[in-house]
């Protein structure tokens, strides 16, 4: 095998199955294909003497000694997260399909209301996901088209399940003779479904459902270019539907609006006037459902009603309350998944960021703390989930660490729904782990400890040991209760205790328990965190926790939804 003159350096690009030889005498680089042994020559600068390969970008860097320059060779590469083909039953992709290209568009006539998207992966062990639907290494996806802009995201997951890549497909359906095209460039609202009355309200078993015609719907780009689905519900049909629930059973007091888009960010706006006018309807919920998540907003949510009242009647009537669900994708999702994997925790399904905001008079207010109201939201996952080793968690967006949140798993639409109960907005996901400790072998509590550890409720004294025979301190027991209830840490509520420092590991847990009156401390102003807890103290704390749980979780129940 012959290369150039005076070969001076060699580099191997393993993913591309190629070898690069820098030829200082002939001012070029020889490229040897590892599969076919074919040789090509690429010109470089003067006297190339060093090579380096970046496997992530698939770039080869050539240092030219006498040219005082750097030559960059850009290689094409496919990965196990790429598609090998992407076709449509109608229309042509622009640009033509290339595994390395992420964004495509296609235009179809107004008469095309449905089409099929077919995709296959490069790696046979990879899998495809569209919304909440999971496929194997090939997928045939039916798409219903609205007039205007329709967006589809095809996620390709690596065989190990920890990495993914998204392909974005935008389908434009032409407008017909009817004035359906929206002025903002987003897709239009489809007509009422069969069995829907003139107000757009459908009665289905266990709840009422609002048709897309009861909202003004648009899809517009966010500041970073991310497509945002936005639907603002009309006050009149929503109030009518809520009024129809007055005589229903508690479990049926639900009005559902289903999001038709598959965008990464989905927002549904509810008029502030509706919330104020329906605040007296106890145990009544407005449920926003997307393909991979839902959110049930109580019309009587005290913190929201109080905030609107503080705005004053004029601003409150103009206010729109937005329920937002953003699916975390790309490098942000990968960073979290990698961090969890290092701790032996497997991410199941999507990470969704739930937020509640109030917009009025050009200002936006984020309500992240719901006070004493636990709000239900669900994540939808494909297949059957082993609930004994899986749990819903809240994710710290900065560290990627997770904490247990109360949740219930149930079968739904051929998959699994994990309904989460918590009084704050944040990032939520479902995870699975098989945690054990070396010193639990043969111990009577082994299975119980492993169950709680898998659900991120209990932690060991180290990564390998639990110390099951140690006495439990007051701080440790309070921490268990706070984790089991899914309470957020509240360090500021420990000022009443003279022996709790801001640097103590348990300060947030003690503060959270103090805030909701699970603990009150001792008469001398101490908490005595290091003392072994007595049975009497356990009983008092558990009784207070039970009262809190009964009062708060009951307020967020939306059964049979």
């Amino acid at each position: 095998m012959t290369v150039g003159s005076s070969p001076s350096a060699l580099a191997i690009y393993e993913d591309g199955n190629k070898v690069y030889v820098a030829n200082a005498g002939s001012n070029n680089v020889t490229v040897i294909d590892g599969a076919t042994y074919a040789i090509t020559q690429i010109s470089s600068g003067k006297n190339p003497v060093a090579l380096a390969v970046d496997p992530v970008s698939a770039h080869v860097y050539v240092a030219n000694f006498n040219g005082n320059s750097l030559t960059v060779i850009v290689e094409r590469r496919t990965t196990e997260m790429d598609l090998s083909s992407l076709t449509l039953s109608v229309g042509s992709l622009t640009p033509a399909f290339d595994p390395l290209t992420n964004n495509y568009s296609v235009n179809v006539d107004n008469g095309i209301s449905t089409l099929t998207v077919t995709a296959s992966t490069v790696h046979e062990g990879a899998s495809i996901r569209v919304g909440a639907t999971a496929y194997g290494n090939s997928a045939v996806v039916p798409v219903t088209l609205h007039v205007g802009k329709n967006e589809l995201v095809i996620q390709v997951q690596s065989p190990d399940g920890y990495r993914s890549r998204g392909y974005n497909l935008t389908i434009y359906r032409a407008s017909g003779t009817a004035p359906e095209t929206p002025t903002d460039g987003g897709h239009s609202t489809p007509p009422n479904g069969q069995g829907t009355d003139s107000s757009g309200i459908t009665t289905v078993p266990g709840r009422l459902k609002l048709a897309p015609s009861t909202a003004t719907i648009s899809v517009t780009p966010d500041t970073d270019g991310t497509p945002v689905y936005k639907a603002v519900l009309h006050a009149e049909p929503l109030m009518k539907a809520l009024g129809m629930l007055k005589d229903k059973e508690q479990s049926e007091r639900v009005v559902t609006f289903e999001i038709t888009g598959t965008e990464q960010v989905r927002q549904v706006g509810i008029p502030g006037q509706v919330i104020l006018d329906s605040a007296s309807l106890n145990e009544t919920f407005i449920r926003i459902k997307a393909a991979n998540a839902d959110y049930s907003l109580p019309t009587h949510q005290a913190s929201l009603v109080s905030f609107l009242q503080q705005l004053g009647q004029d601003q409150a009537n103009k206010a729109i309350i937005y329920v937002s669900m953003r699916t975390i994708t790309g490098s942000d999702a990968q960073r979290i998944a990698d961090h969890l994997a290092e701790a032996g925790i497997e991410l199941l399904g999507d990470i969704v960021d739930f937020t509640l905001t109030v917009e009025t008079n050009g200002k936006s207010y984020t309500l992240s703390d719901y006070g004493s109201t636990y709000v239900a939201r669900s994540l939808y996952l494909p297949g059957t989930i082993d609930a004994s080793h899986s749990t819903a968690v809240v994710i710290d967006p900065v560290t990627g660490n997770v904490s247990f949140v109360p949740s219930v798993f149930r079968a739904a639409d051929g998959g699994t729904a994990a309904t989460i109960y918590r009084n704050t907005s944040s990032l939520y996901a479902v995870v699975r782990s098989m945690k054990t400790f070396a010193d639990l072998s043969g111990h009577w509590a082994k299975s119980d400890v492993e169950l709680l550890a898998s659900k991120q409720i209990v932690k060991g004294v180290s990564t390998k040991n639990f110390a099951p025979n140690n006495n439990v301190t007051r701080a440790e027991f309070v921490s268990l209760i706070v984790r089991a209830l899914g309470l957020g840490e509240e360090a500021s509520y420990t000022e009443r205790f003279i022996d709790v420092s801001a640097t103590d590991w348990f300060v947030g847990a003690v503060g959270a328990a103090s805030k909701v009156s699970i603990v009150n401390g001792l008469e001398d102003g101490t908490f005595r965190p290091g003392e072994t807890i007595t049975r009497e103290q356990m009983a008092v704390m558990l009784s207070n926790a039970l009262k809190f749980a009964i009062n708060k979780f009951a307020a967020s129940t939306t059964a049979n939804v």
Side-chain angles (χ1 to χ4, degrees), residues 88-91 106 108 112-117 141-145 152 169 171:
L88 288 81
S89 59
V90 179
V106 64
V108 299
I112 306 299
S113 60
T114 61
L115 55 74
T116 300
V117 177
V141 184
V143 182
T144 301
L145 301 177
L152 189 72
L169 175 60
I171 306 169

Side-chain angles (χ1 to χ4, degrees), residues 540-551:
V540 171
M541 291 184 192
L542 288 173
S543 176
N544 291 339
L546 184 60
K547 291 176 184 176
F548 171 81
I550 290 174
N551 291 336

